[in-house]
Amino acid sequence: METKMEAIREGYGRGVINIAKKDPNVVFLDADLAMSTKSIKAKEVDPERHFYSGISEQAMIGEAVGLALTGKKVFASTFAIFLSRAFEPIRQSICYGNVPVKLVGSHSGVHVGEDGPSAQMTEDISIMRALPNMNVIVASDSVEAEKATEFLLDFDKPCYLRTGRNKVPVLHSDNYKFEFGKANVLKNGNDATIIACGVMVSIALEAAELLKKENISLRVINMHTIKPLDKKTVVNASKETKAILTAEDHQINGGLGSAVAEVLAEKNLNVNFARIGMNNSFAESGKPDELFEKYGFTAKHLAEKVKTLL
Amino acid sequence: MKHKTENAEELKELARQIRILILKMTSKAGSGHPGGSMSATELLTALYFNTLNLDSDNLKDENRDRFLLSKGHCSPGLYAVLSKRGLFPEEELINSFRQTNSRFSGHVHRTTPGIEMSFGSLGQGLAIGSGMALSAKLDNKSFKTFVMLGDGEMQEGMIWESFMFAGFKKLNNLIAIIDRNKCQNDGYVAETLEIDPLDEKIKSFNWNVIEIDGHNFEEIFEAFEQASNSDKPFAIIANTIKGKGVSFMENDPQWHGKALDEEQLKKALKELGG
């Protein structure tokens, strides 16, 4: 059976339609790129509840906060990179003010492709994770993005949701239930574990197939909530398998890999460990598949790395 | 309890007492921002003792007017006014301002009674006020949103993003008050990065603008009256004097972010009749 492919942001667009229909109090803000982030879908439900701040990301954050402080449920989105333009207003007004604005960053990671490093946001998980009061979700496919969006409607804390531009395999069925803060073990295994997020989850599943041919049993965990991190699932993997590899389309510093490493170190868990991601460097323009090949993000790379840990 | 007075003598007396409180709390703390609190004293007094629709017994009333202190470092001025409105005891304020475990953070924080939003990093209040004003329009609510900005704060790019947005959206329920005291942390605004012609700049973003003496209650009330009948967002450029009320503090940028020592405080209180 051929795998269905869909961009993660398409799922956000469906989530937007669902929550806009469900709750007349939810509003959507974009700087300019609503057609790309997919929150333009809100206009199909009610054109009066979608706003452009203009290409003024800092003001967009302030406007989102003002709307939220006066009782609106607010989703503000742009490319992940451009949210970081407003880092300090996010810190001051959303996080320190503790105002439950939902931020949605699309076009994340090297997977953005041809636009190159100026658009390939590979530091957002790290930045958002560092902020007190901020929560962080990375959707692995369009279904998860849709379900996470529905979850966030009534979530009364600040949260960042990372989506993505290009098509990836759809892993989840329509009846998937998103559980905030609880990792999904997509495949059980007892030799090694890959803990992945976002576009790397489907690649980790491919790696499991490759390793199976070599009689290596791989556990694959979709760590969709980076903050708060599901520590228990990490601890279990460290005790029940011999190695842990993290995989993220992001810098290895400060993101999923760092979050997992913190758990392993603080709990004195002795397990072979490595991180896949960008290592203190920028990628370049190119087709996503070619960039993933060049920068070591393919199933083959992951499988080889796992073998070095065993 | 609501408060609405137009009695000029009563307001002047309140302003005098508020300046005394500002100086006492900053000197007790040994730090803080007295200069910009004293330039804004009449504006804050007029808002909280006349103009804002605010019930001190029902601070969360969703129809209340909103006031945002975008120049959040001028917390002493706002705290003093709120304590005069009876939200917390003056003694507690003087003794605990800026201290560990206090309700009174160095820069305003929304966990303090009567403080709508946390500020302290400049440039953000007008955007948040725009969001509030937009929200009121969406819900057909009649509350107004007032945002107090510093004149040095006009150098922040985010402010102009917000002037553009509010003008474009015709948010005539939004009022910006610019405390034009002409000083900033390191010196004079005109020598750091001049913002004039401020009125023309703001007008060109589709706002109505009035320039007043920010220490004159009559002019302040006239400006608020005009603001409430405006077809566009309304900016009040309030010409003020940094450190107003104490001779040796007036127009001296050093009192932007420095408290008076014990001797200076005595001298200042004497001038203020404290």
Side-chain angles (χ1 to χ4, degrees):
Chain A
M1 193 182 82
E2 202 169 313
T3 313
K4 186 185 168 194
M5 301 287 286
E6 191 178 41
I8 297 171
R9 58 186 168 139
E10 298 290 352
Y12 174 61
R14 282 198 298 276
V16 163
I17 290 174
N18 297 344
I19 62 175
K21 281 181 179 166
K22 187 179 170 196
D23 191 336
N25 210 31
V26 63
V27 297
F28 303 87
L29 275 168
D30 277 83
D32 174 29
L33 300 159
M35 290 199 290
S36 302
T37 63
K38 297 298 171 191
S39 51
I40 194 81
K41 295 283 180 188
K43 283 182 182 266
E44 294 177 13
V45 181
D46 182 357
E48 303 298 311
R49 283 189 282 140
H50 179 274
F51 302 95
Y52 286 112
S53 65
I55 307 173
S56 314
E57 291 80 8
Q58 300 180 82
M60 179 176 76
I61 297 303
E63 289 149 18
V65 166
L67 284 157
L69 285 172
T70 44
K72 296 292 169 198
K73 296 175 183 175
V74 188
F75 285 71
S77 64
T78 182
F79 289 4
I81 183 68
F82 302 136
L83 278 174
S84 73
R85 177 71 166 256
F87 167 74
E88 201 276 339
I90 291 171
R91 177 190 183 272
Q92 166 70 26
S93 292
I94 296 180
C95 293
Y96 180 50
N98 203 9
V99 181
V101 170
K102 315 296 155 42
L103 298 173
V104 182
S106 71
H107 293 58
S108 60
V110 175
H111 206 252
V112 168
E114 290 85 343
D115 278 347
S118 67
Q120 293 166 352
M121 182 45 154
T122 56
E123 301 82 37
D124 50 334
I125 300 172
S126 174
I127 289 169
M128 295 294 182
R129 196 170 80 86
L131 290 168
N133 291 336
M134 182 61 85
N135 296 277
V136 180
I137 297 172
V138 180
S140 63
D141 72 354
S142 54
V143 175
E144 193 160 62
E146 179 181 352
K147 303 294 179 183
T149 303
E150 291 171 2
F151 161 77
L152 288 174
L153 176 64
D154 291 316
F155 185 62
D156 64 352
K157 297 170 184 170
C159 192
Y160 172 63
L161 170 63
R162 184 191 223 218
T163 68
R165 179 185 191 278
N166 290 314
K167 288 183 178 178
V168 294
V170 177
L171 305 171
H172 298 95
S173 66
D174 286 341
N175 56 16
Y176 169 60
K177 190 172 175 340
F178 176 79
E179 284 187 76
F180 177 74
K182 194 170 182 308
N184 291 335
V185 181
L186 295 180
K187 193 182 169 306
N188 250 315
N190 47 31
D191 291 323
T193 301
I194 293 181
I195 302 176
C197 66
V199 300
M200 298 308 292
V201 175
S202 62
I203 294 171
L205 287 167
E206 276 180 55
E209 292 305 311
L210 294 179
L211 289 168
K212 194 174 158 189
K213 289 174 191 156
E214 300 183 45
N215 290 321
I216 296 169
S217 162
L218 185 72
R219 180 176 300 190
V220 176
I221 295 171
N222 171 19
M223 192 62 81
H224 52 68
T225 308
I226 310 290
K227 186 183 173 188
L229 192 79
D230 181 351
K231 294 181 182 176
K232 189 160 173 264
T233 298
V234 174
V235 171
N236 289 346
S238 76
K239 289 180 175 163
E240 294 161 10
T241 68
K242 293 182 275 297
I244 291 178
L245 178 69
T246 59
E248 59 199 307
D249 184 4
H250 184 270
Q251 299 292 332
I252 58 171
N253 294 323
L256 170 67
S258 293
V260 170
E262 287 161 19
V263 175
L264 299 177
E266 284 179 352
K267 296 190 181 295
N268 291 314
L269 297 166
N270 190 9
V271 61
N272 292 332
F273 175 73
R275 297 172 291 170
I276 293 281
M278 294 302 291
N279 186 1
N280 195 32
S281 65
F282 293 105
E284 65 192 72
S285 287
K287 290 191 170 60
D289 290 349
E290 290 173 12
L291 295 178
F292 269 30
E293 181 66 42
K294 178 169 177 178
Y295 290 93
F297 287 70
T298 67
K300 194 162 163 274
H301 287 106
L302 268 56
E304 287 304 315
K305 193 73 182 177
V306 165
K307 282 195 278 181
T308 66
L309 294 173
L310 289 172
Chain B
M1 198 194 294
K2 296 198 178 182
H3 200 114
K4 190 167 177 71
T5 182
E6 275 157 29
N7 182 323
E9 289 313 306
E10 186 187 344
L11 290 164
K12 278 181 194 166
E13 174 56 18
L14 275 165
R16 186 184 72 87
Q17 292 175 17
I18 285 159
R19 287 200 168 89
I20 289 170
L21 264 176
I22 291 166
L23 292 176
K24 281 186 175 171
M25 79 177 90
T26 47
S27 287
K28 171 83 182 176
S31 66
H33 298 81
S37 296
M38 293 161 82
S39 61
T41 295
E42 279 77 15
L43 294 161
L44 291 168
T45 305
L47 283 164
Y48 278 88
F49 288 91
N50 178 288
T51 303
L52 291 180
N53 174 26
L54 188 71
D55 181 350
S56 56
D57 298 321
N58 187 13
L59 290 172
K60 298 291 170 197
D61 179 357
E62 58 182 35
N63 293 311
R64 71 190 184 278
D65 287 336
R66 276 27 177 221
F67 174 75
L68 304 175
L69 185 66
S70 192
K71 45 177 240 158
H73 56 280
C74 294
S75 57
L78 184 51
Y79 291 153
V81 167
L82 294 177
S83 76
K84 286 288 175 193
R85 276 294 304 263
L87 296 192
F88 31 75
E90 288 178 21
E91 280 309 301
E92 182 196 347
L93 175 58
I94 292 168
N95 289 320
S96 71
F97 173 56
R98 288 183 160 248
Q99 305 298 317
T100 309
N101 297 323
S102 162
R103 294 200 281 172
F104 307 106
S105 177
H107 301 167
V108 292
H109 190 26
R110 64 186 279 251
T111 52
T112 306
I115 301 292
E116 294 284 357
M117 182 54 192
S118 312
F119 290 103
S121 163
L122 293 176
Q124 305 192 26
L126 199 57
I128 296 173
S130 300
M132 290 177 157
L134 183 63
S135 186
K137 294 265 182 204
L138 278 176
D139 290 345
N140 290 313
K141 286 184 176 158
S142 60
F143 72 80
K144 293 190 174 60
T145 301
F146 295 78
V147 183
M148 181 175 281
L149 306 153
D151 55 353
E153 187 177 12
M154 294 293 114
Q155 295 160 355
E156 284 279 7
M158 186 178 171
I159 289 288
W160 298 97
E161 294 180 355
S162 303
F163 274 124
M164 190 161 27
F165 180 84
F168 174 65
K169 294 284 183 191
K170 300 188 175 61
L171 299 175
N172 64 345
N173 51 354
L174 178 66
I175 298 121
I177 305 165
I178 297 132
D179 181 8
R180 184 81 169 104
N181 62 33
K182 301 163 198 73
C183 303
Q184 57 189 92
N185 189 75
D186 276 21
Y188 295 101
V189 173
E191 292 169 8
T192 309
L193 180 62
E194 181 54 296
I195 59 174
D196 272 339
L198 190 56
D199 55 343
E200 289 175 31
K201 282 178 183 152
I202 299 173
K203 269 179 204 159
S204 75
F205 284 82
N206 290 317
W207 284 57
N208 287 326
V209 183
I210 188 174
E211 195 163 345
I212 62 163
D213 172 356
H215 298 302
N216 181 319
F217 283 109
E218 237 173 86
E219 291 191 30
I220 294 170
F221 290 136
E222 169 60 25
F224 288 158
E225 181 62 28
Q226 284 190 31
S228 67
N229 296 306
S230 177
D231 57 340
K232 298 173 181 177
F234 197 88
I236 300 167
I237 301 173
N239 288 306
T240 59
I241 294 168
K242 196 135 185 166
K244 169 78 174 174
V246 174
S247 59
F248 62 90
M249 295 179 80
E250 290 191 355
N251 279 323
D252 185 346
Q254 74 161 310
W255 302 111
H256 169 88
K258 200 170 90 173
L260 302 180
D261 65 24
E262 211 173 315
E263 276 308 303
Q264 291 163 332
L265 178 64
K266 264 189 208 163
K267 214 174 137 192
L269 291 181
K270 202 173 166 194
E271 283 192 28
L272 288 166

